[in-house]
Amino acid sequence: GSSNILRELILQRGIGVESTDGEGMTPLHHAASGSNPTSALAAVKLLMEECHANVLAKSWQGRTPYDVAASQAVRGYLLPKQLQMETQQCLDNGGVGLTPGQDMGGMAVNVAPPPMGGGGGGGGG
């Protein structure tokens, strides 16, 4: 299938996994934006796991493969990888860019307080 063609082009023919088209999109961007969720996810996994594609690559519009992903399956696969890489970059830069109380996706992290015990066990003075 398409994953075999992709593997052939990148691993055996030497097509650059970070090469870009006229919009600055990499093969990972195109794989992520595929309309068939099953084949898109297979291609994304191949590019990430076997070809070591850069999950943080940005198109000329500043969009990552996650940003252009067409299916929830692909987004669910890419998001933790992107957040890990962004966090690692910040840590490598001495923590620059890490905002307390936010994850690297820019969404507030709301930690629920621990549940209150329902009886017995000293809650008072």
Side-chain angles (χ1 to χ4, degrees):
S2 60
S3 289
N4 289 335
I5 294 169
L6 192 57
R7 182 179 288 111
E8 166 81 17
L9 288 172
I10 292 177
L11 296 177
Q12 296 174 6
R13 301 272 173 109
I15 302 297
V17 71
E18 299 305 324
S19 58
T20 58
D21 65 10
E23 297 177 2
M25 291 180 43
T26 65
L28 186 57
H29 283 91
H30 286 284
S33 65
S35 59
N36 179 315
T38 303
S39 60
L41 183 58
V44 165
K45 284 183 175 182
L46 175 116
L47 288 166
M48 290 291 300
E49 296 167 11
E50 294 184 37
C51 305
H52 311 289
N54 180 6
V55 71
L56 300 180
K58 292 189 177 174
S59 68
W60 302 141
Q61 295 178 338
R63 300 176 78 190
T64 65
Y66 171 83
D67 295 328
V68 300
S71 76
Q72 273 308 118
V74 171
R75 292 173 73 87
Y77 176 82
L78 288 174
L79 183 60
K81 295 187 178 310
Q82 180 173 329
L83 294 176
Q84 281 181 330
M85 291 293 297
E86 289 173 338
T87 302
Q88 189 60 55
Q89 281 184 346
C90 290
L91 291 173
D92 291 347
N93 291 327
V96 174
L98 289 175
T99 305
Q102 288 192 333
D103 69 18
M104 291 305 296
M107 301 183 318
V109 177
N110 296 313
V111 179
M116 301 305 283

